[in-house]
C-alpha cells in the first residue's frame, strides 16, 4: 500500500470516529454499578445518570451487576463491546482489587478507557442503635474488652466499608468477626435490624439514618469536619491519628472505546456536576465534587495508579485475599 493510500485510510478512520461521536448516542447508554441498588455508589450513579440523560439526549440506564467486591462487573465491562454504550462507575475498589484478588479477569490500568472522576464521599463509623457504647471513647474501650463478641458488617471483600473496617481494627489492635454482604444497602438493613454490631459506610447512605437517630454514630473518617455534618467530630480528632478513608468514584469504558465518545461522555459528567440539582443532592449527602484536575481521563488514570500503589502494601499486610 502506498503512503498516499495509507494516509487516506487513516484520515477515513479518523473521520469515521468523528462522525460516530457526533451521532453518538443513538440509543440508551448503560452505566454499570458493581453494587446493590440503593447503596451509596448506586445513589451517586443514579444522580449523575439523571442529569447526563438530559445532556446526551438518550437515557442513561443504571445496571446493577453484583459480585466479588465489584470485580464481576469490572470483568464484564472490560469484555463489553467498545462501542460507547457501556460505561462503568466504581470506587476505591478499582484500585484495591489488584491486591485483594490473586486472580483478576482484567487489568484495571490496561483494560479500560478512563473518563472522569466524579465525587469524593466521606465514611462514617456506626453501630446498631442499642449498642452499649454512646460515644467514641466508650466504643474504643468496649471493643477492646469485648472484641471476640463483636461483629463488623461490610459490603464484601474489596468494598471500601471492608477497608475502613480493616483500618479501624488495626488502629485499635483488635479483630472482629466480619460479616460480608453484597453491598452496603443490605449491610445497613442488617445494622438497622440489630443483626450486626458495627458498620463503616458512606455518608451518601448514612446521613438520613444518623439524623433520624436510627443508629449510634461515632464520627467521620476525614481529617477535617464535613459540611453535611458540621458538628460531628472526626475519628482523627478523637484519637485515631491520621485515620482517613474517603471514597472516590471513577467512570470507565471498555478499552478501545473511541476517544471522541470518551470526550463527549467526559463533557456530560462535567455538565452533570455543575447541575444545581446534582450539586444540592451531593451536598445533602456529604459528597464533594472533585476539582477540575481530577475530571480529566488523565487525572483519573494517574489517581488510580497512585491508589493501587497506596493500598497494595496495606492490604497485603492485613492478609485478606480471595482467589
Amino acid at each position: 500500500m502506498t503512503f498516499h493510500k495509507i494516509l487516506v485510510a487513516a484520515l477515513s478512520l479518523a473521520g469515521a470516529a468523528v462522525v460516530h461521536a457526533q451521532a453518538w448516542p443513538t440509543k440508551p447508554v448503560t452505566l454499570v454499578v458493581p453494587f446493590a441498588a440503593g447503596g451509596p455508589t448506586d445513589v451517586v450513579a443514579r444522580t449523575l445518570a439523571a442529569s447526563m440523560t438530559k445532556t446526551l439526549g438518550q437515557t442513561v440506564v443504571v445496571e446493577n451487576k453484583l459480585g466479588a467486591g465489584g470485580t464481576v462487573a469490572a470483568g464484564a465491562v472490560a469484555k463489553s463491546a467498545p462501542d460507547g454504550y457501556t460505561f462503568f462507575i466504581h470506587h476505591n475498589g478499582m484500585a484495591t482489587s489488584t491486591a485483594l484478588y490473586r486472580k483478576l479477569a482484567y487489568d484495571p490500568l490496561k483494560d479500560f478507557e478512563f473518563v472522569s472522576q466524579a465525587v469524593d464521599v466521606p465514611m462514617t463509623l456506626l453501630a446498631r442503635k442499642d449498642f452499649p457504647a454512646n460515644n467514641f471513647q466508650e466504643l474504643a474501650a468496649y471493643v477492646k474488652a469485648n472484641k471476640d463478641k463483636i461483629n463488623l458488617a461490610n459490603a464484601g471483600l474489596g468494598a471500601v466499608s471492608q477497608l475502613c473496617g480493616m483500618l479501624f481494627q488495626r488502629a485499635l489492635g483488635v479483630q472482629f468477626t466480619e460479616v460480608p454482604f453484597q453491598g452496603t444497602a443490605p449491610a445497613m438493613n442488617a445494622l438497622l435490624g440489630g443483626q450486626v454490631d458495627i458498620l463503616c459506610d458512606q455518608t451518601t447512605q448514612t446521613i438520613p439514618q444518623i439524623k433520624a437517630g436510627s443508629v449510634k454514630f461515632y464520627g467521620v473518617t476525614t481529617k477535617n469536619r464535613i459540611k453535611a455534618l458540621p458538628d460531628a467530630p472526626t475519628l482523627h480528632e478523637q484519637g485515631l491519628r491520621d485515620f482517613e478513608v474517603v471514597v472516590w468514584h471513577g467512570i470507565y469504558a471498555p478499552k478501545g472505546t473511541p476517544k471522541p465518545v470518551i470526550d463527549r461522555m467526559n463533557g456530560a459528567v462535567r455538565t452533570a456536576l455543575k447541575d444545581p440539582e446534582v450539586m444540592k443532592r451531593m451536598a445533602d449527602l456529604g459528597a464533594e465534587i472533585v476539582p477540575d484536575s481530577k475530571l480529566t481521563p488523565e487525572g483519573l488514570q494517574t489517581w488510580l495508579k497512585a491508589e493501587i500503589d497506596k493500598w497494595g502494601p496495606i492490604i497485603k499486610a492485613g492478609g485478606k485475599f480471595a482467589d
Side-chain angles (χ1 to χ4, degrees):
M1 184 180 289
T2 66
F3 174 77
H4 175 72
K5 289 182 178 179
I6 292 174
L7 180 61
V8 169
L11 291 174
S12 296
L13 287 172
V18 172
V19 170
H20 177 74
Q22 290 174 341
W24 178 89
T26 59
K27 60 182 181 179
V29 175
T30 297
L31 180 61
V32 178
V33 175
F35 303 109
T41 301
D42 182 74
V43 171
V44 170
R46 291 180 188 276
T47 303
L48 293 174
S51 182
M52 289 192 293
T53 291
K54 296 183 289 185
T55 302
L56 296 175
Q58 289 286 346
T59 303
V60 178
V61 180
V62 173
E63 177 185 339
N64 300 92
K65 187 178 289 291
L66 285 60
T71 61
V72 169
V77 172
K79 295 176 183 177
S80 297
D83 56 6
Y85 290 96
T86 302
F87 290 86
F88 180 49
I89 183 169
H90 200 1
H91 57 34
N92 312 46
M94 192 68 163
T96 58
S97 60
T98 58
L100 284 165
Y101 292 84
R102 293 187 176 91
K103 297 178 182 179
L104 281 180
Y106 60 90
D107 185 317
L109 290 170
K110 296 179 180 179
D111 293 338
F112 297 89
E113 300 292 347
F114 302 89
V115 178
S116 176
Q117 286 192 61
V119 295
D120 291 338
V121 184
M123 303 286 281
T124 52
L125 184 64
L126 312 172
R128 53 184 166 83
K129 187 175 181 179
D130 58 350
F131 198 73
N134 293 310
N135 55 53
F136 180 75
Q137 286 68 35
E138 291 182 9
L139 174 68
Y142 185 84
V143 299
K144 287 179 181 179
N146 299 276
K147 55 183 179 294
D148 296 334
K149 303 175 184 178
I150 296 172
N151 61 53
L152 174 72
N154 63 53
L157 187 67
V160 186
S161 56
Q162 188 257 343
L163 298 173
C164 181
M166 183 173 70
L167 289 179
F168 177 63
Q169 291 174 83
R170 189 172 76 168
L172 293 184
V174 298
Q175 186 169 351
F176 305 139
T177 298
E178 296 191 19
V179 183
F181 292 83
Q182 287 198 333
T184 49
M188 174 60 77
N189 287 336
L191 189 75
L192 294 173
Q195 286 88 42
V196 294
D197 298 320
I198 299 174
L199 173 66
C200 190
D201 195 9
Q202 300 178 46
T203 56
T204 43
Q205 179 165 248
T206 63
I207 283 179
Q209 306 300 342
I210 291 169
K211 291 185 174 180
S214 304
V215 294
K216 290 281 182 72
F217 170 48
Y218 301 110
V220 296
T221 64
T222 50
K223 286 190 177 180
N224 299 311
R225 296 192 181 196
I226 62 174
K227 295 178 181 178
L229 296 167
D231 297 326
T234 68
L235 298 180
H236 169 77
E237 70 182 83
Q238 295 183 90
L240 294 188
R241 305 303 296 174
D242 298 321
F243 190 98
E244 184 175 27
V245 182
V246 176
V247 185
W248 55 271
H249 298 80
I251 298 174
Y252 311 82
K255 190 70 174 180
T257 301
K259 185 178 184 301
V261 171
I262 296 295
D263 291 342
R264 189 163 180 210
M265 187 65 170
N266 176 274
V269 174
R270 288 172 177 265
T271 299
L273 293 174
K274 294 178 181 178
D275 184 332
E277 293 182 10
V278 173
M279 294 174 70
K280 182 180 185 306
R281 175 67 169 153
M282 293 303 175
D284 290 344
L285 295 171
E288 297 186 0
I289 295 169
V290 300
D292 287 345
S293 61
K294 292 184 176 182
L295 290 175
T296 65
E298 296 77 17
L300 173 57
Q301 185 175 19
T302 299
W303 182 260
L304 177 61
K305 176 63 168 61
E307 285 287 283
I308 289 173
D309 293 341
K310 169 187 173 181
W311 282 102
I314 295 173
I315 292 168
K316 289 173 183 176
K320 296 181 184 296
F321 308 102
D323 293 327

